[in-house]
Amino acid sequence: DIQMTQSPSSLSASVGDRVTITCRASQSIGRYLNWYQQKPGKAPKFLIYAASSLQSGFPSRFSGTGSGTEFTLTISSLQPEDFATYYCQQTSSTPPTFGQGTKVEIK
Amino acid sequence: EVELLESGGGLVQPGGSLRLSCAASGFTFSNYVMNWVRQAPGKGLEWVSGISGSGDRTNYVDSVEGRFTISRDNSKNTLFVQMNSLRVGDTAVYYCARGYCGAGRCYWYYFDSWGQGTLVTVSP
């Protein structure tokens, strides 16, 4: 199975900060990388697919880049509603696997 | 509006069985791959199983292969998972999740809609 590793596991940031989360795959996955946002007690939401395509309903301050084994999720100006846990997921091979999550907390 | 509503969770002893259901509405159910994804308390996400729109193809994570069976009833817009020989490690919130379709393609593992989840607790 392909292992996905996110860094950091958690971070504290202030409203307006630029936030970057990194996701690394144990082998090349092309651009088969998705991102999800999960708030406490809620189901995850589909945020970005194919490494950089923003799902409808999310603002343009969210962006994704990368290919191969290294990917990033960037929030250009953190807003109060963005405090959540973010997961990357590879879909290059079965089983699809997730990173361990990055919790974005208020500083 | 897409809605997915899971049911059937509860407390079961190790070795026991449980059947989860996911009632779907707001879209043409038979056109979409459906999946089960679970999340142990305080932990991350783990894909469990997926099934094609027609129900003729299924996939499982190794840890549940041979114990869980995914199925669907397209006439009732409902997804199921039969879980047998349950273990303490199967304790989790189980979500049903739809596979995304866009730009003329459908993807098994792009989970674009999720239910609210149902909690399965396996404990002596």
Side-chain angles (χ1 to χ4, degrees):
Chain A
D1 297 359
I2 297 175
Q3 306 303 312
M4 305 301 293
T5 304
Q6 291 181 230
S7 59
S9 294
S10 64
L11 64 91
S12 296
S14 300
V15 172
D17 284 353
R18 182 181 182 88
V19 169
T20 298
I21 299 168
T22 298
C23 176
R24 290 186 172 86
S26 60
Q27 64 189 73
S28 179
I29 58 171
R31 292 177 59 82
Y32 291 99
L33 192 285
N34 301 332
W35 291 96
Y36 297 83
Q37 177 194 66
Q38 186 178 32
K39 296 182 179 179
K42 301 294 186 181
K45 290 185 176 180
F46 187 42
L47 173 59
I48 285 174
Y49 62 96
S52 61
S53 295
L54 186 66
Q55 179 67 342
S56 61
F58 281 95
S60 59
R61 63 179 178 271
F62 290 94
S63 64
T65 62
S67 66
T69 61
E70 188 155 334
F71 302 84
T72 60
L73 172 68
T74 299
I75 309 171
S76 60
S77 177
L78 197 66
Q79 297 302 301
E81 60 270 28
D82 302 335
F83 292 94
T85 299
Y86 294 86
Y87 293 93
C88 64
Q89 176 214 19
Q90 69 80 20
T91 61
S92 174
S93 65
T94 302
T97 47
F98 294 87
Q100 81 278 14
T102 295
K103 187 174 184 179
V104 177
E105 299 176 299
I106 301 172
K107 181 182 284 185
Chain B
E1 181 189 1
V2 173
E3 286 197 33
L4 300 170
L5 184 62
E6 302 92 339
S7 61
L11 174 64
V12 62
Q13 291 187 337
S17 298
L18 216 51
R19 188 194 198 202
L20 306 183
S21 301
C22 171
S25 61
F27 63 102
T28 304
F29 184 65
S30 59
N31 287 353
Y32 289 83
V33 170
M34 295 297 296
N35 294 269
W36 290 98
V37 178
R38 67 185 178 183
Q39 186 169 35
K43 302 298 184 182
L45 301 167
E46 180 184 35
W47 171 82
V48 174
S49 182
I51 187 168
S52 63
S54 62
D56 62 340
R57 288 177 292 152
T58 59
N59 285 313
Y60 300 90
V61 70
D62 283 351
S63 61
V64 309
E65 183 88 54
R67 300 188 298 122
F68 289 14
T69 302
I70 191 172
S71 62
R72 63 193 297 161
D73 184 339
N74 287 345
S75 69
K76 296 182 178 178
N77 293 343
T78 305
L79 174 72
F80 304 98
V81 62
Q82 175 68 41
M83 304 186 297
N84 297 331
S85 303
L86 281 161
R87 305 167 180 168
V88 171
D90 295 320
T91 295
V93 173
Y94 284 74
Y95 296 100
C96 64
R98 190 181 77 167
Y100 170 74
C101 289
R105 283 192 62 181
C106 291
Y107 301 85
W108 273 65
Y109 304 131
Y110 293 20
F111 307 134
D112 72 337
S113 297
W114 300 62
Q116 87 292 345
T118 187
L119 176 62
V120 172
T121 303
V122 185
S123 179

